[in-house]
């Protein structure tokens, strides 16, 4: 069976809803998903899977329309490890499905 790593969650993308929905879609296609709910977990999980899926919204939330509480809960700055993980995946010609970022 083919496998995938799926990153879900973040601002306005509740992981408890998107994770099961994306997992069901992949499973129906014969792809076994491993779901992670935070970008920092991705480098530790990505390996020899067949597909990387991102269905999340992770960003700094610097715009004035976001409250301090929203920033504290959802604000995110990507780590060098995450950027390297995704860049290496793509540079190797491996499939990336960016559903919504």
């Amino acid at each position: 069976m083919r496998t995938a790593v799926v990153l879900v969650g973040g601002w306005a993308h509740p992981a408890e809803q998107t994770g099961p929905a994306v997992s069901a879609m992949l499973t129906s296609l014969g792809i076994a998903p491993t779901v992670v709910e935070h970008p920092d977990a991705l480098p530790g999980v990505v390996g020899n899977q067949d597909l990387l899926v991102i269905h999340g919204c992770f960003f700094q939330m610097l715009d004035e329309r976001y409250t301090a509480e929203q920033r504290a809960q959802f604000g995110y700055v990507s780590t060098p490890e995450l950027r390297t993980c995704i860049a290496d995946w793509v540079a190797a010609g491996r499939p990336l499905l960016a559903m919504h970022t």
Side-chain angles (χ1 to χ4, degrees), residues 2-8 22-23 26 31-38 41-55 85 89 94-97:
R2 294 176 295 165
T3 59
V5 174
V6 182
L7 171 62
V8 297
V22 174
S23 292
L26 291 170
I31 302 171
T34 298
V35 177
V36 296
E37 297 182 3
H38 195 279
L42 207 57
V45 176
V46 168
N48 293 322
Q49 295 87 359
D50 300 296
L51 176 65
L52 174 58
V53 179
I54 300 176
H55 187 286
C85 174
W89 180 276
R94 302 185 76 192
L96 170 65
L97 173 58

Side-chain angles (χ1 to χ4, degrees), residues 7 39-43 76-87:
L7 171 62
D40 291 347
L42 207 57
Y76 178 74
V77 176
S78 64
T79 63
E81 294 81 12
L82 175 66
R83 292 189 300 273
T84 298
C85 174
I86 294 172

Side-chain angles (χ1 to χ4, degrees), residues 57-78:
C57 190
F58 301 94
F59 61 108
Q60 292 183 24
M61 302 185 82
L62 297 178
D63 193 281
E64 292 179 11
R65 65 184 167 143
Y66 302 111
T67 67
E69 293 81 18
Q70 290 168 327
R71 283 188 198 96
Q73 184 175 1
F74 295 106
Y76 178 74
V77 176
S78 64

